Amino acid sequence: VEAAVGNYNERQARGMLNIPITDKLAIRASFMADMHDGMLTQTKDTTDIEYAANGIFRDGIPDVDQRRNRDVSRSDWYNNSDQWGGRVIGLWQTTDWLETTLTFSHFSDQGAGDIDFIDCEQAAGTINACDHDLRYVNINVPGRKDLKIDDYQLKLVASLNDRMALEYRGSYQDQRRDQLEDVDGGTRPAAQWSSIGAP
């Protein structure tokens, strides 16, 4: 077993155990877990745009979609990690000439997912220059990822003689993913670029 801790509330753990049941049957079990908070600054997007020259005035109502907007804790910010996995392997000396290995593994990722943010160096000196740190997003759709992978494997090794064997490997994997993501990260053209016409 090994474990690690770090900044951004990082917690990692890994472990493995070999279990000899008989002289012909053995099992190995292993696991991993990786969790940390989001590694950027994330705020709730309630932008109320104003550009009087085009008749756009602040009215106290956000100008971005608020249907999914809500406050989330740092542990649920984008670029976080909430993953775990486990694997069980069984090795069976079926006969003197046949060895059977069965494997089942499961992986789960329940993090918020990744998100892009503005390249402040390229935006410098433009109307869209950053007024915040580099690793910053202003989002109205908190991230949510539900990724699960189940994997099944079978290996058969038949010894024909001391120097030759036949091997068969078969596997099946089932992956399911459901995800919500704020694709713009709160970036939008400056109000001065709006083209709604005369006031």
Side-chain angles (χ1 to χ4, degrees), residues 10 12 30 36 48 55 64 67 101 119 154 177:
E10 174 79 31
Q12 290 184 358
S30 59
H36 65 71
D48 187 6
V64 294
R67 288 175 293 178
T101 305
D119 185 333
L154 168 66
R177 180 176 186 143

Side-chain angles (χ1 to χ4, degrees), residues 32-62:
M32 61 77 66
D34 180 11
M35 292 174 280
H36 65 71
D37 293 348
M39 297 182 180
L40 42 72
T41 301
Q42 178 172 312
T43 56
K44 181 178 173 183
D45 191 352
T46 57
T47 302
D48 187 6
I49 296 171
E50 179 170 13
Y51 186 55
N54 275 9
I56 303 172
F57 300 97
R58 288 192 180 93
D59 56 8
I61 301 172

Side-chain angles (χ1 to χ4, degrees), residues 110-123:
Q110 302 296 308
D114 295 327
I115 193 168
D116 295 326
F117 39 86
I118 295 174
D119 185 333
C120 290
E121 287 187 10
Q122 288 194 2

Side-chain angles (χ1 to χ4, degrees), residues 147-166:
L147 170 64
K148 294 183 177 73
I149 303 173
D150 289 319
D151 187 75
Y152 307 84
Q153 298 180 28
L154 168 66
K155 182 173 81 168
L156 299 172
V157 180
S159 298
L160 302 180
N161 55 47
D162 291 341
R163 293 185 296 176
M164 189 180 298
L166 290 176

Side-chain angles (χ1 to χ4, degrees), residues 128-175:
N128 289 309
C130 295
D131 59 357
H132 50 71
D133 295 334
L134 171 64
R135 298 183 184 280
Y136 168 85
V137 290
N138 188 28
I139 60 100
N140 64 315
V141 179
R144 189 200 77 216
K145 180 165 53 176
D146 181 7
L147 170 64
K148 294 183 177 73
I149 303 173
D150 289 319
D151 187 75
Y152 307 84
Q153 298 180 28
L154 168 66
K155 182 173 81 168
L156 299 172
V157 180
S159 298
L160 302 180
N161 55 47
D162 291 341
R163 293 185 296 176
M164 189 180 298
L166 290 176
E167 184 174 306
Y168 167 80
R169 290 175 183 249
S171 64
Y172 170 79
Q173 187 176 91
D174 179 33
Q175 175 176 312

